[in-house]
Amino acid sequence: MILSRRLRKSPYEKRAIENGASFFSLYNKMTLPMVYESYEKSYEHLCKHVQLWDVACQRQVEIVGPDALRLTELITPRDISKCAVGQCLYAPLCDEYGGIINDPIILRLAEDRFWLSIADSDVCLWVKGIAYGRGFDVKVFEPDVSPLAIQGPKADDLMADVVGAHTRDIRFFWFIDETVAGTPVKIARSGWSGKGGFEVYLQDSSRGEELWDLFWGVGQKYNVGPGAPNLIERIETGLKSYGADMTIDTNPIEAALECYIDIDKEAEYMCRDALVSVREKGESRRLVNLFIDGEDMAPMRSDWPVLSENGAKVGFVTSKVWSLKYETNIAFAMIDAPHIRPGTRVTIDAEGDVRSAVVRTDRWEST
Ligand code: THG
């Protein structure tokens, strides 16, 4: 890929490349370093040590002003009134049909000020349109904020050494304001892995290398390494990726995100009627976990049909990886409702590589 000026540059990009980032993805028109050495090596390191991840592509959409809460409530079925200042909530954003526009982490910075820490889709323009159309008294824009994730079991020790022992007390999905490397940041206990850690929201992109170097230097005694959202770890942990596992064609019930929505919340929101209707009728399909038989498979670059026992197409695979923990291929698939019962046998057609698979619950361990 050509890293032209048109692809926005992360303040950590130079460090990522110096440390051997070899494959990138595109995310919110920015590069996202994905692979150092290999997914497998990086996975093993992440499970034992601590990593710095350049996730500056998780852009922030700021909503600020007297109508900020009303607007934020309007675009999500999650109950934002329950989000305290200093707290984060994972919340799908949905259009009037219930289609998922994005699945950000929402940070409440003040009573009337929010950041949507977005996945890969154009949220800012959509929210600006709604704000203008409804005549809301808010400002919606993308501030200069670049998250750096510190992930892995030694993240707490590293953060305590760099910032102070009080960071050990940050609760899961809460954040604090700090000054690090002479620059203001927010530090949240969050991140796209199940191995624990923090996300540091840098608020001045000219200071990225200083921030990286500080954690890198102190992190030497914890065997710090470069890292990235890891395909193996995230599927094992059950984290869904917008664009792959859900799109604007998916509603949050189908996407198995029920625990992150409150259909009966008090505030007005755009997709209420759509979700009430899905709840009444029952969803027609659902995102499930699959174990796929056999050896490792080629990476996915297209939809792989899921077939029922009589050969009819009943869905498609959305993500898959060879799991080092379960020593089999694990996958998410969107499957028609009659076939989602755990234990159901299905067939996967991976571009001619035909495999048998079994539906699991949303946990890998139980059947
Ligand atoms: N960090 C930040 N922004 C992001 C992501 C991130 N934006 C895009 C994408 N990742 C959003 N996806 C998720 C999905 C799940 C979680 C975090 C980001 C997650 N969920 C917890 C859980 O399921 O247990 C807690 C959810 C809650 O309590 O609200 O961690 O990684 N900045």
Side-chain angles (χ1 to χ4, degrees):
M1 198 157 69
I2 306 284
L3 301 185
S4 76
R5 200 179 144 269
R6 200 171 53 74
L7 305 187
R8 300 189 291 171
K9 187 177 170 183
S10 157
Y12 315 114
E13 181 180 285
K14 187 156 175 270
R15 292 290 180 267
I17 291 173
E18 284 166 359
N19 282 290
S22 53
F23 287 94
F24 293 80
S25 188
L26 261 192
Y27 201 95
N28 286 320
K29 304 177 182 70
M30 286 182 74
T31 53
L32 166 59
M34 286 293 287
V35 182
Y36 296 86
E37 278 191 270
S38 70
Y39 283 139
E40 290 77 12
K41 285 221 166 82
S42 194
Y43 170 96
E44 273 157 13
H45 182 269
L46 172 63
C47 292
K48 284 201 212 94
H49 304 291
V50 57
Q51 296 184 340
L52 308 189
W53 297 4
D54 171 4
V55 286
C57 64
Q58 291 167 359
R59 304 313 290 170
Q60 309 306 301
V61 176
E62 179 161 335
I63 303 179
V64 60
D67 290 327
L69 177 61
R70 255 177 91 199
L71 175 55
T72 308
E73 290 276 30
L74 188 64
I75 59 178
T76 177
R78 189 145 192 188
D79 189 349
I80 303 303
S81 70
K82 291 189 180 138
C83 187
V85 173
Q87 199 180 356
C88 315
L89 281 185
Y90 173 57
L93 309 181
C94 300
D95 69 10
E96 62 275 34
Y97 307 108
I100 302 176
I101 296 281
N102 199 286
D103 68 329
I105 293 177
I106 299 180
L107 291 79
R108 190 165 197 174
L109 309 176
E111 288 299 327
D112 61 354
R113 185 171 171 229
F114 297 87
W115 280 351
L116 314 178
S117 180
I118 62 172
D120 181 23
S121 74
D122 290 323
V123 172
C124 194
L125 300 178
W126 181 69
V127 178
K128 281 172 79 73
I130 296 165
Y132 179 76
R134 290 285 296 245
F136 282 153
D137 185 2
V138 287
K139 206 171 147 209
V140 180
F141 64 102
E142 188 183 297
D144 176 7
V145 175
S146 304
L148 176 70
I150 319 277
Q151 297 286 296
K154 297 178 185 167
D156 269 55
D157 291 336
L158 176 54
M159 189 59 78
D161 285 4
V162 173
V163 180
H166 61 289
T167 55
R168 294 185 190 276
D169 300 327
I170 302 173
R171 282 178 285 162
F172 183 61
F173 263 53
W174 289 73
F175 65 89
I176 60 168
D177 279 289
E178 271 296 338
T179 300
V180 180
T183 192
V185 298
K186 302 192 190 301
I187 303 174
R189 190 179 288 279
S190 58
W192 218 53
S193 86
K195 299 296 167 277
F198 301 90
E199 290 178 298
V200 182
Y201 292 80
L202 173 68
Q203 293 170 84
D204 176 352
S205 51
S206 73
R207 309 298 286 274
E209 285 162 25
E210 284 161 72
L211 187 72
W212 176 290
D213 292 346
L214 180 59
F215 281 99
W216 189 263
V218 178
Q220 290 311 307
K221 65 182 200 223
Y222 301 116
N223 194 12
V224 68
N230 186 281
L231 185 67
I232 306 169
E233 204 281 338
R234 76 102 177 158
I235 299 182
E236 287 180 354
T237 297
L239 293 166
K240 313 288 159 48
S241 180
Y242 187 77
D245 304 310
M246 62 189 120
T247 68
I248 197 167
D249 295 322
T250 319
N251 69 54
I253 300 172
E254 293 171 336
L257 298 177
E258 286 101 330
C259 56
Y260 307 112
I261 64 175
D262 180 359
I263 296 178
D264 299 315
K265 78 173 185 176
E266 213 169 281
E268 180 194 0
Y269 67 101
M270 289 165 60
C271 66
R272 184 192 299 273
D273 292 349
L275 294 190
V276 166
S277 162
V278 175
R279 181 170 64 183
E280 275 166 11
K281 291 188 199 136
E283 74 270 33
S284 58
R285 51 182 200 160
R286 189 173 180 83
L287 197 64
V288 298
N289 291 14
L290 290 181
F291 275 154
I292 306 175
D293 292 355
E295 299 299 305
D296 193 2
M297 307 164 80
M300 289 187 76
R301 182 71 180 112
S302 56
D303 280 3
W304 293 352
V306 175
L307 312 171
S308 71
E309 285 193 315
N310 65 17
K313 186 181 173 203
V314 296
F316 56 94
V317 179
T318 62
S319 293
K320 83 94 214 167
V321 77
W322 176 263
S323 165
L324 294 171
K325 185 169 171 189
Y326 302 111
E327 297 183 321
T328 187
N329 294 291
I330 59 174
F332 300 131
M334 186 60 83
I335 296 188
D336 294 345
H339 306 276
I340 61 176
R341 207 157 34 84
T344 305
R345 274 269 154 203
V346 291
T347 300
I348 308 299
D349 183 353
E351 293 159 66
D353 180 359
V354 178
R355 305 281 182 109
S356 181
V358 64
V359 175
R360 314 287 294 192
T361 62
D362 59 2
R363 286 163 194 277
W364 298 109
E365 280 86 0
S366 56
T367 49

